[in-house]
C-alpha cells in the first residue's frame, strides 16, 4: 500500500489561514463557544489522550444518563482487538435521545421534517416522539422481535425512519439501515447477512418530485430471504403496491393497536446498538458494528464541541439516514443533547438550487452540515441562488465525506457563511462512529482543505506505508492511523471478527488503520488525501472497486473487468471501468449501456460508471495481475509519467488504451 501518488503533496506549500471569526467570540453576538482558544483546545486534547479514563468518564456522566453507573471507563487494546468502554454501565440509547427530554420538556420540537415539497413541514415534539417510538417498540415486540434480534430498515427520509431507529434501540434490537438508493440485490445481501427478522419500509419514497418504488424493491430483495417474517410498511404516498398477505403489515394499522408506552430495555454499554454495512477493498460489504455507550457518547460529544451546540439551536445535517452521517448527526448526536434536528427529504436542487438556503432561512438553522459534492454542484449553478437569503442564523457550517477542495471551501465560507461562521471540515468514517479530525469553531484557525486537528481522545499518527514506522515531526506524508482506542470506534464486523482484525488492526499492529493517506503540514495541520486501498469515493458515497468489478463480470459477455477511480470536478472521484469480452462475444451496439445498467441493478444507481471502455486486454504483470495503477494514470491524463512499466507482460497495449480513453 502506498499513499495515493495521484494527489499533489502540499506539505511545503504556504496555505492561507483563516482565524476564528471574531463574531463567534463576541458574547454580544454569539453564545461563547465551549472551547474558545487554541490553548484551551490543546489542554483538553492532552488530557483526553493522556488521561482518557478521567476525561471520558466525566464526559459520559455529563452527557448521558446511565441506569446503572459504569465502573471501568476503558478496557482492551488494539493488540487484542477487545476494545470496550464504560464496563458494567447500563443505559438505553432511546431513553437518552427521547425520554429524558420528553419528561422535562415535552413540547420542545425534536424533529422538523421538511418534505420533498417545500410547503410541507411537519414538527414533532419530544412528547410526541416518545409516544410514537413507544408504540412502534410495542409493535415490534408483538411481532416477536426481542433484544438482540436484528431489524432491517429501508426507508425514505421521513420521521418514521427516525422513529424506527429509536424503537429498535428502545427494545435492544440492533438496527441495520440500508440506504434507500441500494438495489434489491444489495438490500438482499445485507438482510441475509444480518438474518434480519423484520424489514421496516414505506410504500414509496418521494424525492425531487418523483415517486420511488421502495416497497417493490423490498419485495424483489425478499424473494430469497428466509429470515424475514414480517415487512412493516409505512404509507407515504398511497400508491398501489404489491402485497404479501400474512407477511406484510401496514404501519398505521399496527400502530393503532399498540399501547403508547413501552419501557426501555436495560442495555449494557457494550450491547450492540446498530450495524451499518460499508464497502471495503475486498469481498462483500461488512456489517460494521457499533455498541451503545461509547457510540452515543461520541455522537453527542462531537455535536456539542464540533458544532458548538447550544440550547435552542436548530441543527441540520443534510446526509441520508442510510449512511453513518445520518445516524450520528441527524439522529443520535442531536437527540442525545435534546436538540431540534432537521430531516430533509428532498434534494439540494428541488424545486430550485436555492432549496438549502431557503431551508436555512425558514427554520433559522444554526448548524448546517453537508458534503463537498453538494457544495461544488451548487457553486457551479451560480451565486444568484444563494444571494438574498437570510442566512444570519448560521454559526457553524460543516463539510464531510471527502476532501474539500479549497475553491469549494472558499465559496462555502464566503457565500454561505458570509465570512462570519466557523467552517468545519470534518474527517471520519463509518468505522470511527463520530468525527475524529476537525476544527473546533471557537478554537482552531482553519486552512481550506485541511481537517486541521484531532478531536478529543484521538491520537493520530502517520505511518510509513512500507515499514509501518511512525513518521515523526511535521511536513510528513504517510498512511493515517490512530494510536489508542476511542469510545465511538466500531467494535467488530458483524459475525466476522477476524475480518475486523484483518482490516483495521492487523495491517499496522498496535494501531487502528484508517485506509486513508494523509499529510501533517509544517504547522501540524492534517490533510486527508484519500483512500490508499481499493475504495473509491463518488459524491461522498463509498464504493469498492472489486464490488463493481464483480457486478460487471456477472454479465454473460464479460470476461474480465478492472475498475478505477478517476478525478471528477463535481463528484470528487468517478468510476471508470475497463472491460474485456469473452472470446466468442462480439462488441454489440449498446453493450456499454447494458453493462452500466447491470451495475445499477446489482449495486444501485449511485454506483453507475461514468465511462465503460471495451478493451482487447488489460495491462497485466507477467503473473497475470491487472496493473490498475496504469489505468488510473491513463484516465487521469498522467500517462506521460507511467512510471516503471517493465513488469508489464505486454507493454504494447498501452497506446491502444490511451487512444480508447482520450481518442
Ligand atoms: C471515507 C469514509 C463518515 C462520513 C461519511 C463517509 C473519506 C470522509 C472526509 C474529509 C477527507 C474524508 C475518507 C474516509 N472522508 N470525510 N473531511 N476529508 N476525506 O463515511 O462512507 O465510511 O467513508 O470518506 O476517505 O475513509 P464513509
Amino acid at each position: 500500500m502506498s499513499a495515493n501518488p495521484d494527489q499533489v503533496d502540499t506539505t511545503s506549500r504556504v496555505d492561507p489561514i483563516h482565524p476564528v471569526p471574531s463574531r463567534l467570540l463576541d458574547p454580544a453576538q454569539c453564545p461563547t463557544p465551549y472551547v474558545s482558544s487554541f490553548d484551551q483546545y490543546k489542554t483538553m486534547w492532552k488530557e483526553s489522550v493522556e488521561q482518557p479514563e478521567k476525561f471520558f468518564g466525566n464526559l459520559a456522566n455529563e452527557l448521558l444518563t446511565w441506569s446503572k453507573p459504569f465502573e471501568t471507563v476503558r478496557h482492551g487494546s488494539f493488540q487484542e482487538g477487545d476494545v470496550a468502554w464504560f464496563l458494567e454501565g447500563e443505559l438505553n440509547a432511546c431513553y437518552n435521545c427521547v425520554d429524558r427530554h420528553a419528561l422535562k420538556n415535552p413540547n420542545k420540537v425534536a424533529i422538523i421534517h421538511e418534505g420533498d415539497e417545500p410547503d410541507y413541514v411537519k414538527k414533532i415534539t419530544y412528547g410526541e416522539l416518545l409516544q410514537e417510538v413507544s408504540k412502534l417498540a410495542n409493535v415490534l415486540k408483538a411481532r416477536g422481535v426481542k433484544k438482540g434480534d436484528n431489524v432491517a430498515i429501508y426507508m425514505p427520509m421521513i420521521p418514521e425512519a427516525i422513529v424506527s431507529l429509536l424503537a429498535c434501540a428502545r427494545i435492544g434490537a440492533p438496527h441495520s439501515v440500508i440506504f434507500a438508493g441500494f438495489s434489491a440485490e444489495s438490500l438482499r445481501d445485507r438482510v441475509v447477512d444480518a438474518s434480519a427478522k423484520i424489514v421496516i419500509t414505506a410504500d414509496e419514497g418521494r424525492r425531487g418530485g418523483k415517486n420511488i418504488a421502495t416497497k417493490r424493491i423490498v419485495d424483489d430483495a425478499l424473494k430469497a430471504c428466509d429470515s424475514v417474517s414480517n415487512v412493516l410498511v409505512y404509507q407515504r404516498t398511497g400508491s398501489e403496491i404489491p402485497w404479501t398477505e400474512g407477511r406484510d403489515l401496514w404501519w398505521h394499522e399496527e400502530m393503532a393497536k399498540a399501547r403508547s408506552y413501552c419501557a426501555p430495555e436495560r442495555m449494557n454499554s457494550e450491547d450492540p446498538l446498530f450495524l451499518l454495512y460499508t464497502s471495503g477493498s475486498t469481498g462483500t460489504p461488512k456489517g460494521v458494528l457499533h455498541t451503545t455507550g461509547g457510540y452515543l457518547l461520541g455522537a453527542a460529544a462531537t455535536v456539542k464541541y464540533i458544532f458548538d451546540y447550544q440550547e435552542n439551536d436548530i441543527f441540520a445535517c443534510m446526509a441520508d439516514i442510510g449512511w453513518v452521517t445520518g445516524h450520528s448527526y441527524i439522529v443520535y448526536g442531536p437527540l442525545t443533547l435534546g436538540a431540534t434536528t432537521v430531516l430533509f427529504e428532498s434534494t439540494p436542487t428541488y424545486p430550485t438550487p436555492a432549496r438549502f438556503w431557503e431551508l436555512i432561512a425558514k427554520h433559522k438553522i444554526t448548524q448546517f452540515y453537508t458534503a463537498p459534492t453538494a457544495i461544488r454542484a451548487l457553486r457551479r449553478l451560480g451565486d444568484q441562488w444563494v444571494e438574498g437569503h437570510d442566512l444570519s442564523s448560521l454559526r457553524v457550517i460543516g463539510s464531510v465525506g471527502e476532501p474539500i477542495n479549497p475553491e469549494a471551501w472558499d465559496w462555502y465560507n464566503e457565500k454561505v457563511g458570509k465570512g462570519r461562521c466557523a467552517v468545519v471540515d470534518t474527517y471520519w468514517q463509518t468505522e470511527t462512529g463520530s468525527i475524529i479530525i476537525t476544527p473546533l469553531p471557537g478554537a482552531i484557525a482553519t486552512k481550506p482543505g485541511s481537517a486541521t486537528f484531532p478531536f478529543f481522545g484521538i491520537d493520530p499518527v502517520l505511518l510509513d506505508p512500507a515499514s509501518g514506522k511512525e513518521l515523526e515531526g511535521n511536513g510528513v506524508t504517510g498512511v493515517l492511523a490512530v494510536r489508542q482506542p476511542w469510545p465511538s470506534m466500531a467494535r467488530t464486523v458483524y459475525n466476522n471478527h477476524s475480518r475486523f482484525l484483518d482490516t483495521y488492526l492487523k495491517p499496522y499492529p498496535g494501531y487502528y488503520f484508517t485506509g486513508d493517506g494523509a499529510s501533517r503540514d509544517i504547522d501540524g495541520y492534517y490533510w486527508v488525501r484519500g483512500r490508499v486501498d481499493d475504495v473509491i469515493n463518488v459524491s461522498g458515497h463509498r464504493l469498492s472497486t472489486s464490488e463493481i468489478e464483480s457486478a460487471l463480470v456477472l454479465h454473460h459477455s464479460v470476461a474480465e473487468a478492472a475498475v478505477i477511480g478517476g478525478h471528477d470536478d463535481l463528484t470528487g472521484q468517478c468510476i471508470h471501468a475497463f472491460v474485456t469480452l469473452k472470446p466468442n462475444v462480439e462488441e454489440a451496439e449498446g453493450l456499454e449501456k447494458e453493462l452500466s445498467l447491470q451495475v445499477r441493478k446489482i449495486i444501485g444507481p449511485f454506483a453507475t460508471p461514468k465511462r465503460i471502455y471495451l478493451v482487447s486486454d488489460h495491462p497485466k504483470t507477467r503473473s497475470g495481475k491487472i496493473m490498475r495503477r496504469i489505468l488510473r494514470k491513463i484516465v487521469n491524463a498522467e500517462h506521460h509519467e507511467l512510471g516503471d512499466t517493465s513488469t508489464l507482460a505486454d507493454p504494447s497495449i498501452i497506446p491502444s488504451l490511451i487512444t480508447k480513453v482520450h481518442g
Side-chain angles (χ1 to χ4, degrees):
M1 257 173 274
S2 63
N4 192 344
D6 302 339
Q7 309 276 335
V8 198
D9 185 340
T10 54
T11 41
S12 53
R13 207 179 72 200
V14 180
D15 297 286
I17 298 196
H18 294 255
V20 170
S22 55
R23 163 187 172 243
L24 292 184
L25 299 174
D26 174 4
Q29 299 190 59
C30 288
T32 305
Y34 295 104
V35 187
S36 52
S37 73
F38 191 67
D39 282 346
Q40 190 192 350
Y41 158 71
K42 267 290 192 218
T43 309
M44 288 177 75
W45 180 78
K46 205 161 175 285
E47 185 193 42
S48 74
V49 293
E50 287 174 3
Q51 296 168 272
E53 277 83 6
K54 183 172 163 216
F55 187 91
F56 287 109
N58 288 339
L59 202 56
N61 283 319
E62 178 201 319
L63 298 181
L64 305 177
T65 301
W66 299 80
S67 53
K68 178 171 173 245
F70 53 86
E71 287 162 31
T72 311
V73 173
R74 188 173 72 150
H75 169 82
S77 67
F78 287 157
Q79 281 81 5
E80 298 294 327
D82 57 350
V83 172
W85 286 78
F86 311 115
L87 302 194
E88 308 92 10
E90 291 181 359
L91 79 169
N92 183 287
C94 180
Y95 179 88
N96 274 272
C97 288
V98 185
D99 301 47
R100 57 180 186 154
H101 313 302
L103 298 174
K104 232 176 56 194
N105 212 349
N107 296 325
K108 176 162 184 182
V109 174
I111 301 170
I112 298 178
H113 181 221
E114 165 101 1
D116 191 42
E117 300 301 330
D119 57 4
Y120 181 92
V121 174
K122 187 175 169 199
K123 295 185 178 173
I124 298 169
T125 65
Y126 273 98
E128 290 163 342
L129 186 59
L130 177 57
Q131 290 202 1
E132 289 303 290
V133 166
S134 278
K135 278 196 265 179
L136 184 62
N138 283 327
V139 168
L140 295 173
K141 277 171 132 177
R143 293 293 159 182
V145 180
K146 294 183 297 298
K147 178 173 175 178
D149 290 340
N150 296 330
V151 172
I153 299 174
Y154 187 74
M155 282 206 127
M157 292 284 284
I158 53 177
E160 289 70 21
I162 299 183
V163 171
S164 299
L165 270 72
L166 294 168
C168 289
R170 193 166 192 85
I171 63 171
H175 52 73
S176 166
V177 183
I178 296 111
F179 172 56
F182 273 115
S183 68
E185 303 196 25
S186 294
L187 173 60
R188 180 200 57 209
D189 292 348
R190 286 156 178 78
V191 171
V192 168
D193 189 76
S195 318
K197 265 201 154 161
I198 285 209
V199 180
I200 309 180
T201 188
D203 53 354
E204 290 184 320
R206 286 281 299 173
R207 226 172 155 257
K210 294 193 192 83
N211 288 15
I212 296 155
T214 313
K215 169 68 163 56
R216 244 170 245 283
I217 298 173
V218 172
D219 282 344
D220 278 351
L222 295 191
K223 278 181 191 142
C225 281
D226 303 331
S227 65
V228 176
S229 46
N230 289 114
V231 177
L232 188 61
V233 188
Y234 179 79
Q235 197 168 51
R236 168 69 182 85
T237 65
S239 297
E240 195 70 34
I241 52 162
W243 199 257
T244 304
E245 224 39 76
R247 183 195 72 181
D248 299 350
L249 308 165
W250 280 116
W251 172 292
H252 55 273
E253 289 177 4
E254 298 303 306
M255 291 288 269
K257 295 185 242 167
R259 189 187 151 196
S260 46
Y261 183 76
C262 168
E265 189 79 33
R266 285 180 87 109
M267 303 299 288
N268 185 277
S269 175
E270 281 298 324
D271 279 335
L273 178 60
F274 65 85
L275 315 178
L276 192 55
Y277 283 82
T278 191
S279 296
S281 35
T282 51
T284 49
K286 314 181 263 273
V288 170
L289 186 140
H290 283 286
T291 58
T292 309
Y295 169 79
L296 208 60
L297 181 62
T302 48
V303 170
K304 173 175 173 178
Y305 288 110
I306 300 169
F307 292 97
D308 202 58
Y309 172 75
Q310 309 275 348
E311 201 165 342
N312 302 323
D313 279 351
I314 309 288
F315 191 93
C317 166
M318 297 294 103
D320 194 281
I321 259 180
W323 308 114
V324 75
T325 310
H327 283 57
S328 300
Y329 299 106
I330 297 176
V331 185
Y332 288 111
L335 296 182
T336 297
L337 298 183
T340 299
T341 189
V342 174
L343 182 71
F344 179 53
E345 191 176 10
S346 196
T347 77
T349 51
Y350 182 76
T352 74
R355 187 69 190 271
F356 274 177
W357 326 125
E358 287 165 3
L359 182 80
I360 292 169
K362 179 169 20 166
H363 302 296
K364 304 210 170 7
I365 287 165
T366 42
Q367 288 90 354
F368 183 77
Y369 196 24
T370 188
T373 186
I375 299 168
R376 287 192 295 261
L378 292 170
R379 173 175 178 259
R380 212 180 251 198
L381 293 170
D383 296 349
Q384 71 274 22
W385 297 108
V386 61
E387 277 157 10
H389 297 280
D390 179 8
L391 307 182
S392 60
S393 55
L394 289 173
R395 290 202 321 276
V396 183
I397 55 177
S399 165
V400 61
E402 53 177 312
I404 179 164
N405 48 311
E407 299 73 27
W409 195 103
D410 287 339
W411 186 84
Y412 198 34
N413 178 43
E414 284 158 27
K415 300 294 168 192
V416 181
K418 317 281 185 204
R420 46 203 290 289
C421 294
V423 180
V424 291
D425 171 7
T426 62
Y427 166 80
W428 60 299
Q429 314 176 297
T430 304
E431 297 87 338
T432 67
S434 54
I435 297 163
I436 65 166
I437 300 185
T438 178
L440 297 184
I444 295 175
T446 46
K447 299 189 188 190
S450 164
T452 74
F453 291 101
F455 185 64
F456 303 136
I458 304 299
D459 194 3
V461 292
L462 297 178
L463 305 176
D464 178 279
S467 68
K469 287 238 161 42
E470 276 187 34
L471 300 168
E472 309 280 345
N474 290 340
V476 290
T477 294
V479 294
L480 179 63
V482 183
R483 207 197 319 247
Q484 57 175 313
W486 65 99
S488 71
M489 64 174 287
R491 301 293 191 259
T492 192
V493 167
Y494 184 68
N495 264 345
N496 204 342
H497 193 60
S498 58
R499 189 158 174 212
F500 179 77
L501 300 177
D502 290 345
T503 312
Y504 307 107
L505 303 183
K506 284 194 180 156
Y508 299 99
Y511 299 95
Y512 167 86
F513 173 51
T514 62
D516 283 302
S519 315
R520 191 166 49 229
D521 73 10
I522 40 170
D523 301 317
Y525 281 64
Y526 283 88
W527 298 74
V528 179
R529 307 294 180 192
R531 305 289 307 196
V532 293
D533 52 13
D534 293 322
V535 168
I536 51 181
N537 190 325
V538 182
S539 299
H541 294 159
R542 179 165 157 186
L543 292 153
S544 139
T545 52
S546 65
E547 256 179 278
I548 304 166
E549 288 166 4
S550 309
L552 287 165
V553 295
L554 281 176
H555 191 277
H556 55 84
S557 7
V558 173
E560 214 173 4
V563 166
I564 56 108
H567 294 313
D568 187 283
D569 285 346
L570 198 59
T571 57
Q573 285 188 299
C574 62
I575 300 165
H576 289 254
F578 292 81
V579 172
T580 57
L581 301 180
K582 288 182 181 155
N584 47 347
V585 177
E586 291 288 310
E587 255 193 57
E589 208 185 311
L591 184 56
E592 285 100 335
K593 195 140 188 227
E594 217 177 284
L595 294 176
S596 190
L597 280 173
Q598 168 97 357
V599 178
R600 286 174 74 97
K601 187 170 156 280
I602 293 182
I603 301 175
F606 61 93
T608 309
K610 180 157 184 185
R611 295 283 302 272
I612 293 182
Y613 312 99
L614 303 177
V615 293
S616 56
D617 205 356
H618 288 111
K620 285 185 175 165
T621 60
R622 285 189 199 91
S623 57
K625 208 168 147 2
I626 300 177
M627 291 181 76
R628 288 176 177 73
R629 176 177 66 83
I630 304 239
L631 296 173
R632 210 175 291 133
K633 292 239 167 190
I634 294 176
V635 162
N636 292 321
E638 292 160 356
H639 38 272
H640 41 277
E641 36 174 293
L642 280 186
D644 185 10
T645 53
S646 62
T647 48
L648 275 177
D650 176 15
S652 74
I653 72 155
I654 288 181
S656 67
L657 288 171
I658 295 174
T659 314
K660 194 92 203 177
V661 175
H662 297 287

